[in-house]
PDB file of all heavy atoms in Angstrom:
ATOM      1  N   GLU A   1     126.662  80.078  80.307  1.00  0.00           N
ATOM      2  CA  GLU A   1     127.839  80.333  81.128  1.00  0.00           C
ATOM      3  C   GLU A   1     127.512  80.213  82.614  1.00  0.00           C
ATOM      4  O   GLU A   1     128.380  79.876  83.423  1.00  0.00           O
ATOM      5  CB  GLU A   1     128.389  81.724  80.827  1.00  0.00           C
ATOM      6  CG  GLU A   1     128.911  81.867  79.395  1.00  0.00           C
ATOM      7  CD  GLU A   1     129.406  83.269  79.123  1.00  0.00           C
ATOM      8  OE1 GLU A   1     129.331  84.123  80.038  1.00  0.00           O
ATOM      9  OE2 GLU A   1     129.860  83.525  77.993  1.00  0.00           O
ATOM     10  N   ALA A   2     126.295  80.533  82.985  1.00  0.00           N
ATOM     11  CA  ALA A   2     125.841  80.430  84.371  1.00  0.00           C
ATOM     12  C   ALA A   2     124.375  80.008  84.342  1.00  0.00           C
ATOM     13  O   ALA A   2     123.703  80.145  83.322  1.00  0.00           O
ATOM     14  CB  ALA A   2     126.011  81.754  85.101  1.00  0.00           C
ATOM     15  N   PHE A   3     123.886  79.510  85.491  1.00  0.00           N
ATOM     16  CA  PHE A   3     122.537  78.941  85.531  1.00  0.00           C
ATOM     17  C   PHE A   3     121.706  79.657  86.593  1.00  0.00           C
ATOM     18  O   PHE A   3     122.197  79.977  87.674  1.00  0.00           O
ATOM     19  CB  PHE A   3     122.620  77.441  85.825  1.00  0.00           C
ATOM     20  CG  PHE A   3     123.521  76.697  84.863  1.00  0.00           C
ATOM     21  CD1 PHE A   3     124.834  76.441  85.194  1.00  0.00           C
ATOM     22  CD2 PHE A   3     123.052  76.298  83.622  1.00  0.00           C
ATOM     23  CE1 PHE A   3     125.674  75.776  84.311  1.00  0.00           C
ATOM     24  CE2 PHE A   3     123.873  75.627  82.734  1.00  0.00           C
ATOM     25  CZ  PHE A   3     125.187  75.373  83.067  1.00  0.00           C
ATOM     26  N   HIS A   4     120.435  79.888  86.263  1.00  0.00           N
ATOM     27  CA  HIS A   4     119.566  80.594  87.196  1.00  0.00           C
ATOM     28  C   HIS A   4     118.108  80.366  86.811  1.00  0.00           C
ATOM     29  O   HIS A   4     117.811  79.799  85.757  1.00  0.00           O
ATOM     30  CB  HIS A   4     119.869  82.094  87.170  1.00  0.00           C
ATOM     31  CG  HIS A   4     119.538  82.747  85.863  1.00  0.00           C
ATOM     32  ND1 HIS A   4     120.467  82.958  84.871  1.00  0.00           N
ATOM     33  CD2 HIS A   4     118.363  83.219  85.371  1.00  0.00           C
ATOM     34  CE1 HIS A   4     119.893  83.527  83.832  1.00  0.00           C
ATOM     35  NE2 HIS A   4     118.605  83.686  84.114  1.00  0.00           N
ATOM     36  N   LEU A   5     117.206  80.815  87.678  1.00  0.00           N
ATOM     37  CA  LEU A   5     115.761  80.801  87.419  1.00  0.00           C
ATOM     38  C   LEU A   5     115.260  82.232  87.569  1.00  0.00           C
ATOM     39  O   LEU A   5     115.395  82.837  88.632  1.00  0.00           O
ATOM     40  CB  LEU A   5     115.030  79.865  88.385  1.00  0.00           C
ATOM     41  CG  LEU A   5     115.447  78.392  88.292  1.00  0.00           C
ATOM     42  CD1 LEU A   5     116.505  78.077  89.336  1.00  0.00           C
ATOM     43  CD2 LEU A   5     114.248  77.469  88.456  1.00  0.00           C
ATOM     44  N   SER A   6     114.709  82.784  86.512  1.00  0.00           N
ATOM     45  CA  SER A   6     114.315  84.191  86.489  1.00  0.00           C
ATOM     46  C   SER A   6     113.099  84.454  87.368  1.00  0.00           C
ATOM     47  O   SER A   6     112.149  83.673  87.394  1.00  0.00           O
ATOM     48  CB  SER A   6     114.002  84.631  85.062  1.00  0.00           C
ATOM     49  OG  SER A   6     115.172  84.635  84.266  1.00  0.00           O
ATOM     50  N   LEU A   7     113.139  85.605  88.048  1.00  0.00           N
ATOM     51  CA  LEU A   7     112.004  86.110  88.818  1.00  0.00           C
ATOM     52  C   LEU A   7     111.492  87.422  88.252  1.00  0.00           C
ATOM     53  O   LEU A   7     110.512  87.983  88.754  1.00  0.00           O
ATOM     54  CB  LEU A   7     112.406  86.326  90.282  1.00  0.00           C
ATOM     55  CG  LEU A   7     112.900  85.111  91.050  1.00  0.00           C
ATOM     56  CD1 LEU A   7     113.332  85.520  92.459  1.00  0.00           C
ATOM     57  CD2 LEU A   7     111.843  84.016  91.101  1.00  0.00           C
ATOM     58  N   SER A   8     112.150  87.930  87.210  1.00  0.00           N
ATOM     59  CA  SER A   8     111.726  89.184  86.587  1.00  0.00           C
ATOM     60  C   SER A   8     112.092  89.166  85.120  1.00  0.00           C
ATOM     61  O   SER A   8     112.930  88.368  84.678  1.00  0.00           O
ATOM     62  CB  SER A   8     112.403  90.392  87.263  1.00  0.00           C
ATOM     63  OG  SER A   8     113.735  90.542  86.794  1.00  0.00           O
ATOM     64  N   GLN A   9     111.471  90.043  84.371  1.00  0.00           N
ATOM     65  CA  GLN A   9     111.956  90.340  83.039  1.00  0.00           C
ATOM     66  C   GLN A   9     113.189  91.227  83.162  1.00  0.00           C
ATOM     67  O   GLN A   9     113.510  91.727  84.237  1.00  0.00           O
ATOM     68  CB  GLN A   9     110.885  91.061  82.223  1.00  0.00           C
ATOM     69  CG  GLN A   9     109.611  90.255  82.007  1.00  0.00           C
ATOM     70  CD  GLN A   9     108.700  90.891  80.976  1.00  0.00           C
ATOM     71  OE1 GLN A   9     109.116  91.181  79.863  1.00  0.00           O
ATOM     72  NE2 GLN A   9     107.446  91.111  81.348  1.00  0.00           N
ATOM     73  N   SER A  10     113.872  91.430  82.061  1.00  0.00           N
ATOM     74  CA  SER A  10     114.988  92.375  82.035  1.00  0.00           C
ATOM     75  C   SER A  10     114.395  93.774  81.907  1.00  0.00           C
ATOM     76  O   SER A  10     113.627  94.048  80.988  1.00  0.00           O
ATOM     77  CB  SER A  10     115.891  92.059  80.843  1.00  0.00           C
ATOM     78  OG  SER A  10     117.207  92.424  81.110  1.00  0.00           O
ATOM     79  N   VAL A  11     114.725  94.645  82.861  1.00  0.00           N
ATOM     80  CA  VAL A  11     114.179  96.005  82.875  1.00  0.00           C
ATOM     81  C   VAL A  11     115.327  97.008  82.903  1.00  0.00           C
ATOM     82  O   VAL A  11     116.485  96.645  83.104  1.00  0.00           O
ATOM     83  CB  VAL A  11     113.259  96.222  84.093  1.00  0.00           C
ATOM     84  CG1 VAL A  11     112.050  95.301  84.028  1.00  0.00           C
ATOM     85  CG2 VAL A  11     114.026  96.010  85.405  1.00  0.00           C
ATOM     86  N   VAL A  12     115.000  98.267  82.696  1.00  0.00           N
ATOM     87  CA  VAL A  12     116.008  99.336  82.674  1.00  0.00           C
ATOM     88  C   VAL A  12     115.887 100.177  83.943  1.00  0.00           C
ATOM     89  O   VAL A  12     114.807 100.653  84.280  1.00  0.00           O
ATOM     90  CB  VAL A  12     115.823 100.235  81.441  1.00  0.00           C
ATOM     91  CG1 VAL A  12     116.806 101.406  81.484  1.00  0.00           C
ATOM     92  CG2 VAL A  12     116.032  99.434  80.165  1.00  0.00           C
ATOM     93  N   LEU A  13     117.022 100.327  84.653  1.00  0.00           N
ATOM     94  CA  LEU A  13     117.085 101.194  85.827  1.00  0.00           C
ATOM     95  C   LEU A  13     118.023 102.357  85.547  1.00  0.00           C
ATOM     96  O   LEU A  13     119.090 102.161  84.965  1.00  0.00           O
ATOM     97  CB  LEU A  13     117.623 100.435  87.046  1.00  0.00           C
ATOM     98  CG  LEU A  13     116.659  99.612  87.890  1.00  0.00           C
ATOM     99  CD1 LEU A  13     117.427  98.984  89.038  1.00  0.00           C
ATOM    100  CD2 LEU A  13     115.524 100.463  88.422  1.00  0.00           C
ATOM    101  N   ARG A  14     117.649 103.544  85.970  1.00  0.00           N
ATOM    102  CA  ARG A  14     118.581 104.651  85.983  1.00  0.00           C
ATOM    103  C   ARG A  14     119.617 104.411  87.082  1.00  0.00           C
ATOM    104  O   ARG A  14     119.324 103.753  88.073  1.00  0.00           O
ATOM    105  CB  ARG A  14     117.848 105.972  86.229  1.00  0.00           C
ATOM    106  CG  ARG A  14     116.815 106.327  85.175  1.00  0.00           C
ATOM    107  CD  ARG A  14     117.442 106.597  83.824  1.00  0.00           C
ATOM    108  NE  ARG A  14     118.299 107.776  83.850  1.00  0.00           N
ATOM    109  CZ  ARG A  14     119.065 108.158  82.842  1.00  0.00           C
ATOM    110  NH1 ARG A  14     119.101 107.438  81.730  1.00  0.00           N
ATOM    111  NH2 ARG A  14     119.806 109.238  82.947  1.00  0.00           N
ATOM    112  N   HIS A  15     120.808 104.951  86.896  1.00  0.00           N
ATOM    113  CA  HIS A  15     121.893 104.658  87.836  1.00  0.00           C
ATOM    114  C   HIS A  15     121.528 105.009  89.276  1.00  0.00           C
ATOM    115  O   HIS A  15     121.818 104.251  90.204  1.00  0.00           O
ATOM    116  CB  HIS A  15     123.155 105.419  87.399  1.00  0.00           C
ATOM    117  CG  HIS A  15     124.330 105.196  88.297  1.00  0.00           C
ATOM    118  ND1 HIS A  15     124.656 106.053  89.322  1.00  0.00           N
ATOM    119  CD2 HIS A  15     125.239 104.190  88.337  1.00  0.00           C
ATOM    120  CE1 HIS A  15     125.725 105.584  89.952  1.00  0.00           C
ATOM    121  NE2 HIS A  15     126.094 104.472  89.376  1.00  0.00           N
ATOM    122  N   HIS A  16     120.884 106.144  89.479  1.00  0.00           N
ATOM    123  CA  HIS A  16     120.582 106.578  90.842  1.00  0.00           C
ATOM    124  C   HIS A  16     119.436 105.789  91.464  1.00  0.00           C
ATOM    125  O   HIS A  16     119.140 105.960  92.645  1.00  0.00           O
ATOM    126  CB  HIS A  16     120.258 108.082  90.870  1.00  0.00           C
ATOM    127  CG  HIS A  16     119.114 108.477  89.993  1.00  0.00           C
ATOM    128  ND1 HIS A  16     119.251 108.708  88.644  1.00  0.00           N
ATOM    129  CD2 HIS A  16     117.797 108.667  90.267  1.00  0.00           C
ATOM    130  CE1 HIS A  16     118.079 109.040  88.127  1.00  0.00           C
ATOM    131  NE2 HIS A  16     117.169 109.019  89.082  1.00  0.00           N
ATOM    132  N   TRP A  17     118.786 104.914  90.689  1.00  0.00           N
ATOM    133  CA  TRP A  17     117.735 104.057  91.242  1.00  0.00           C
ATOM    134  C   TRP A  17     118.281 102.732  91.758  1.00  0.00           C
ATOM    135  O   TRP A  17     117.559 102.000  92.449  1.00  0.00           O
ATOM    136  CB  TRP A  17     116.691 103.742  90.170  1.00  0.00           C
ATOM    137  CG  TRP A  17     115.793 104.861  89.791  1.00  0.00           C
ATOM    138  CD1 TRP A  17     115.715 106.101  90.360  1.00  0.00           C
ATOM    139  CD2 TRP A  17     114.811 104.847  88.742  1.00  0.00           C
ATOM    140  NE1 TRP A  17     114.768 106.865  89.725  1.00  0.00           N
ATOM    141  CE2 TRP A  17     114.192 106.119  88.735  1.00  0.00           C
ATOM    142  CE3 TRP A  17     114.405 103.890  87.824  1.00  0.00           C
ATOM    143  CZ2 TRP A  17     113.189 106.443  87.831  1.00  0.00           C
ATOM    144  CZ3 TRP A  17     113.401 104.229  86.920  1.00  0.00           C
ATOM    145  CH2 TRP A  17     112.796 105.484  86.923  1.00  0.00           C
ATOM    146  N   ILE A  18     119.482 102.360  91.408  1.00  0.00           N
ATOM    147  CA  ILE A  18     119.963 101.002  91.674  1.00  0.00           C
ATOM    148  C   ILE A  18     119.917 100.671  93.163  1.00  0.00           C
ATOM    149  O   ILE A  18     119.316  99.663  93.573  1.00  0.00           O
ATOM    150  CB  ILE A  18     121.385 100.797  91.116  1.00  0.00           C
ATOM    151  CG1 ILE A  18     121.366 100.900  89.593  1.00  0.00           C
ATOM    152  CG2 ILE A  18     121.930  99.434  91.545  1.00  0.00           C
ATOM    153  CD1 ILE A  18     122.758 100.831  88.972  1.00  0.00           C
ATOM    154  N   LEU A  19     120.557 101.480  93.988  1.00  0.00           N
ATOM    155  CA  LEU A  19     120.605 101.162  95.422  1.00  0.00           C
ATOM    156  C   LEU A  19     119.225 101.196  96.081  1.00  0.00           C
ATOM    157  O   LEU A  19     118.907 100.286  96.866  1.00  0.00           O
ATOM    158  CB  LEU A  19     121.587 102.089  96.128  1.00  0.00           C
ATOM    159  CG  LEU A  19     123.068 101.888  95.765  1.00  0.00           C
ATOM    160  CD1 LEU A  19     123.950 102.834  96.571  1.00  0.00           C
ATOM    161  CD2 LEU A  19     123.493 100.441  95.993  1.00  0.00           C
ATOM    162  N   PRO A  20     118.364 102.182  95.814  1.00  0.00           N
ATOM    163  CA  PRO A  20     117.003 102.121  96.384  1.00  0.00           C
ATOM    164  C   PRO A  20     116.227 100.899  95.909  1.00  0.00           C
ATOM    165  O   PRO A  20     115.476 100.293  96.690  1.00  0.00           O
ATOM    166  CB  PRO A  20     116.358 103.420  95.886  1.00  0.00           C
ATOM    167  CG  PRO A  20     117.488 104.339  95.615  1.00  0.00           C
ATOM    168  CD  PRO A  20     118.613 103.487  95.134  1.00  0.00           C
ATOM    169  N   PHE A  21     116.407 100.519  94.645  1.00  0.00           N
ATOM    170  CA  PHE A  21     115.726  99.341  94.106  1.00  0.00           C
ATOM    171  C   PHE A  21     116.191  98.083  94.837  1.00  0.00           C
ATOM    172  O   PHE A  21     115.371  97.248  95.257  1.00  0.00           O
ATOM    173  CB  PHE A  21     116.025  99.228  92.609  1.00  0.00           C
ATOM    174  CG  PHE A  21     115.405  98.030  91.935  1.00  0.00           C
ATOM    175  CD1 PHE A  21     114.099  98.075  91.468  1.00  0.00           C
ATOM    176  CD2 PHE A  21     116.137  96.861  91.745  1.00  0.00           C
ATOM    177  CE1 PHE A  21     113.532  96.969  90.834  1.00  0.00           C
ATOM    178  CE2 PHE A  21     115.573  95.763  91.119  1.00  0.00           C
ATOM    179  CZ  PHE A  21     114.267  95.817  90.659  1.00  0.00           C
ATOM    180  N   VAL A  22     117.505  97.932  95.002  1.00  0.00           N
ATOM    181  CA  VAL A  22     118.047  96.752  95.686  1.00  0.00           C
ATOM    182  C   VAL A  22     117.608  96.725  97.145  1.00  0.00           C
ATOM    183  O   VAL A  22     117.255  95.660  97.682  1.00  0.00           O
ATOM    184  CB  VAL A  22     119.585  96.733  95.576  1.00  0.00           C
ATOM    185  CG1 VAL A  22     120.181  95.659  96.477  1.00  0.00           C
ATOM    186  CG2 VAL A  22     120.007  96.508  94.122  1.00  0.00           C
ATOM    187  N   GLN A  23     117.582  97.877  97.799  1.00  0.00           N
ATOM    188  CA  GLN A  23     117.139  97.911  99.196  1.00  0.00           C
ATOM    189  C   GLN A  23     115.677  97.500  99.312  1.00  0.00           C
ATOM    190  O   GLN A  23     115.298  96.775 100.251  1.00  0.00           O
ATOM    191  CB  GLN A  23     117.333  99.312  99.780  1.00  0.00           C
ATOM    192  CG  GLN A  23     117.028  99.397 101.270  1.00  0.00           C
ATOM    193  CD  GLN A  23     117.884  98.446 102.082  1.00  0.00           C
ATOM    194  OE1 GLN A  23     119.104  98.468 102.009  1.00  0.00           O
ATOM    195  NE2 GLN A  23     117.239  97.595 102.888  1.00  0.00           N
ATOM    196  N   ALA A  24     114.847  97.922  98.364  1.00  0.00           N
ATOM    197  CA  ALA A  24     113.438  97.522  98.379  1.00  0.00           C
ATOM    198  C   ALA A  24     113.308  96.011  98.202  1.00  0.00           C
ATOM    199  O   ALA A  24     112.471  95.366  98.860  1.00  0.00           O
ATOM    200  CB  ALA A  24     112.676  98.261  97.275  1.00  0.00           C
ATOM    201  N   LEU A  25     114.139  95.435  97.330  1.00  0.00           N
ATOM    202  CA  LEU A  25     114.134  93.975  97.172  1.00  0.00           C
ATOM    203  C   LEU A  25     114.546  93.284  98.465  1.00  0.00           C
ATOM    204  O   LEU A  25     113.930  92.288  98.878  1.00  0.00           O
ATOM    205  CB  LEU A  25     115.082  93.564  96.050  1.00  0.00           C
ATOM    206  CG  LEU A  25     114.614  93.724  94.606  1.00  0.00           C
ATOM    207  CD1 LEU A  25     115.743  93.357  93.655  1.00  0.00           C
ATOM    208  CD2 LEU A  25     113.386  92.843  94.330  1.00  0.00           C
ATOM    209  N   LYS A  26     115.588  93.783  99.098  1.00  0.00           N
ATOM    210  CA  LYS A  26     116.061  93.183 100.352  1.00  0.00           C
ATOM    211  C   LYS A  26     114.972  93.222 101.423  1.00  0.00           C
ATOM    212  O   LYS A  26     114.777  92.245 102.160  1.00  0.00           O
ATOM    213  CB  LYS A  26     117.315  93.905 100.845  1.00  0.00           C
ATOM    214  CG  LYS A  26     118.555  93.621 100.014  1.00  0.00           C
ATOM    215  CD  LYS A  26     119.771  94.341 100.575  1.00  0.00           C
ATOM    216  CE  LYS A  26     121.021  93.990  99.777  1.00  0.00           C
ATOM    217  NZ  LYS A  26     122.226  94.688 100.294  1.00  0.00           N
ATOM    218  N   ASP A  27     114.269  94.327 101.498  1.00  0.00           N
ATOM    219  CA  ASP A  27     113.187  94.440 102.486  1.00  0.00           C
ATOM    220  C   ASP A  27     112.090  93.422 102.210  1.00  0.00           C
ATOM    221  O   ASP A  27     111.535  92.816 103.140  1.00  0.00           O
ATOM    222  CB  ASP A  27     112.604  95.854 102.451  1.00  0.00           C
ATOM    223  CG  ASP A  27     113.585  96.913 102.946  1.00  0.00           C
ATOM    224  OD1 ASP A  27     114.582  96.538 103.596  1.00  0.00           O
ATOM    225  OD2 ASP A  27     113.363  98.100 102.648  1.00  0.00           O
ATOM    226  N   ARG A  28     111.773  93.204 100.945  1.00  0.00           N
ATOM    227  CA  ARG A  28     110.729  92.250 100.571  1.00  0.00           C
ATOM    228  C   ARG A  28     111.150  90.809 100.824  1.00  0.00           C
ATOM    229  O   ARG A  28     110.319  89.950 101.171  1.00  0.00           O
ATOM    230  CB  ARG A  28     110.383  92.432  99.090  1.00  0.00           C
ATOM    231  CG  ARG A  28     109.609  93.691  98.771  1.00  0.00           C
ATOM    232  CD  ARG A  28     108.177  93.549  99.211  1.00  0.00           C
ATOM    233  NE  ARG A  28     107.389  94.750  98.924  1.00  0.00           N
ATOM    234  CZ  ARG A  28     106.135  94.889  99.306  1.00  0.00           C
ATOM    235  NH1 ARG A  28     105.530  93.939  99.986  1.00  0.00           N
ATOM    236  NH2 ARG A  28     105.477  95.993  99.025  1.00  0.00           N
ATOM    237  N   MET A  29     112.421  90.508 100.616  1.00  0.00           N
ATOM    238  CA  MET A  29     112.901  89.123 100.726  1.00  0.00           C
ATOM    239  C   MET A  29     113.293  88.731 102.149  1.00  0.00           C
ATOM    240  O   MET A  29     113.534  87.560 102.419  1.00  0.00           O
ATOM    241  CB  MET A  29     114.108  88.918  99.803  1.00  0.00           C
ATOM    242  CG  MET A  29     113.792  89.091  98.327  1.00  0.00           C
ATOM    243  SD  MET A  29     112.524  87.902  97.770  1.00  0.00           S
ATOM    244  CE  MET A  29     112.022  88.660  96.218  1.00  0.00           C
ATOM    245  N   ALA A  30     113.369  89.703 103.049  1.00  0.00           N
ATOM    246  CA  ALA A  30     113.883  89.443 104.399  1.00  0.00           C
ATOM    247  C   ALA A  30     113.097  88.362 105.137  1.00  0.00           C
ATOM    248  O   ALA A  30     113.666  87.607 105.942  1.00  0.00           O
ATOM    249  CB  ALA A  30     113.881  90.737 105.204  1.00  0.00           C
ATOM    250  N   SER A  31     111.807  88.245 104.876  1.00  0.00           N
ATOM    251  CA  SER A  31     110.978  87.278 105.610  1.00  0.00           C
ATOM    252  C   SER A  31     110.718  85.999 104.827  1.00  0.00           C
ATOM    253  O   SER A  31     110.029  85.100 105.316  1.00  0.00           O
ATOM    254  CB  SER A  31     109.637  87.926 105.977  1.00  0.00           C
ATOM    255  OG  SER A  31     108.928  88.294 104.805  1.00  0.00           O
ATOM    256  N   ARG A  32     111.262  85.887 103.621  1.00  0.00           N
ATOM    257  CA  ARG A  32     110.995  84.720 102.772  1.00  0.00           C
ATOM    258  C   ARG A  32     111.885  83.545 103.157  1.00  0.00           C
ATOM    259  O   ARG A  32     113.074  83.701 103.399  1.00  0.00           O
ATOM    260  CB  ARG A  32     111.183  85.074 101.291  1.00  0.00           C
ATOM    261  CG  ARG A  32     110.088  85.974 100.746  1.00  0.00           C
ATOM    262  CD  ARG A  32     108.759  85.240 100.762  1.00  0.00           C
ATOM    263  NE  ARG A  32     107.610  86.118 100.533  1.00  0.00           N
ATOM    264  CZ  ARG A  32     106.378  85.694 100.537  1.00  0.00           C
ATOM    265  NH1 ARG A  32     106.104  84.420 100.777  1.00  0.00           N
ATOM    266  NH2 ARG A  32     105.381  86.531 100.325  1.00  0.00           N
ATOM    267  N   GLN A  33     111.284  82.352 103.179  1.00  0.00           N
ATOM    268  CA  GLN A  33     111.982  81.144 103.615  1.00  0.00           C
ATOM    269  C   GLN A  33     112.681  80.451 102.438  1.00  0.00           C
ATOM    270  O   GLN A  33     112.251  80.532 101.292  1.00  0.00           O
ATOM    271  CB  GLN A  33     110.975  80.163 104.228  1.00  0.00           C
ATOM    272  CG  GLN A  33     110.215  80.688 105.414  1.00  0.00           C
ATOM    273  CD  GLN A  33     111.069  80.757 106.667  1.00  0.00           C
ATOM    274  OE1 GLN A  33     112.023  80.014 106.824  1.00  0.00           O
ATOM    275  NE2 GLN A  33     110.697  81.655 107.568  1.00  0.00           N
ATOM    276  N   ARG A  34     113.774  79.750 102.766  1.00  0.00           N
ATOM    277  CA  ARG A  34     114.403  78.865 101.790  1.00  0.00           C
ATOM    278  C   ARG A  34     113.464  77.708 101.473  1.00  0.00           C
ATOM    279  O   ARG A  34     112.609  77.360 102.275  1.00  0.00           O
ATOM    280  CB  ARG A  34     115.722  78.313 102.350  1.00  0.00           C
ATOM    281  CG  ARG A  34     116.742  79.385 102.699  1.00  0.00           C
ATOM    282  CD  ARG A  34     118.010  78.765 103.252  1.00  0.00           C
ATOM    283  NE  ARG A  34     118.976  79.787 103.632  1.00  0.00           N
ATOM    284  CZ  ARG A  34     120.222  79.532 104.014  1.00  0.00           C
ATOM    285  NH1 ARG A  34     120.648  78.277 104.071  1.00  0.00           N
ATOM    286  NH2 ARG A  34     121.039  80.530 104.324  1.00  0.00           N
ATOM    287  N   PHE A  35     113.669  77.097 100.309  1.00  0.00           N
ATOM    288  CA  PHE A  35     112.803  75.972  99.934  1.00  0.00           C
ATOM    289  C   PHE A  35     113.517  75.075  98.937  1.00  0.00           C
ATOM    290  O   PHE A  35     114.542  75.456  98.343  1.00  0.00           O
ATOM    291  CB  PHE A  35     111.478  76.478  99.355  1.00  0.00           C
ATOM    292  CG  PHE A  35     111.621  77.305  98.096  1.00  0.00           C
ATOM    293  CD1 PHE A  35     111.534  76.719  96.828  1.00  0.00           C
ATOM    294  CD2 PHE A  35     111.828  78.678  98.174  1.00  0.00           C
ATOM    295  CE1 PHE A  35     111.664  77.471  95.672  1.00  0.00           C
ATOM    296  CE2 PHE A  35     111.954  79.444  97.013  1.00  0.00           C
ATOM    297  CZ  PHE A  35     111.866  78.834  95.769  1.00  0.00           C
ATOM    298  N   CYS A  36     112.987  73.884  98.755  1.00  0.00           N
ATOM    299  CA  CYS A  36     113.516  72.938  97.768  1.00  0.00           C
ATOM    300  C   CYS A  36     112.624  72.941  96.529  1.00  0.00           C
ATOM    301  O   CYS A  36     111.407  73.137  96.638  1.00  0.00           O
ATOM    302  CB  CYS A  36     113.571  71.524  98.343  1.00  0.00           C
ATOM    303  SG  CYS A  36     114.801  71.307  99.634  1.00  0.00           S
TER     304      CYS A  36
END
């Protein structure tokens, strides 16, 4: 139905972890460059 390239396995997050987890990802990706 949609197309993607995985960067992780499927994992389980508790509800109250979602926003801290996403913020940690954003902090890590902030300096990463686009590429072909």
Side-chain angles (χ1 to χ4, degrees):
E1 295 178 359
F3 306 96
H4 66 264
L5 298 96
S6 293
L7 300 177
S8 79
Q9 298 191 53
S10 209
V11 297
V12 176
L13 276 181
R14 299 294 295 173
H15 180 264
H16 58 277
W17 288 354
I18 295 175
L19 292 182
F21 179 85
V22 170
Q23 186 58 55
L25 282 176
K26 288 181 177 179
D27 293 344
R28 288 285 180 185
M29 297 300 164
S31 62
R32 288 295 167 182
Q33 301 286 333
R34 300 180 182 187
F35 61 93
C36 291

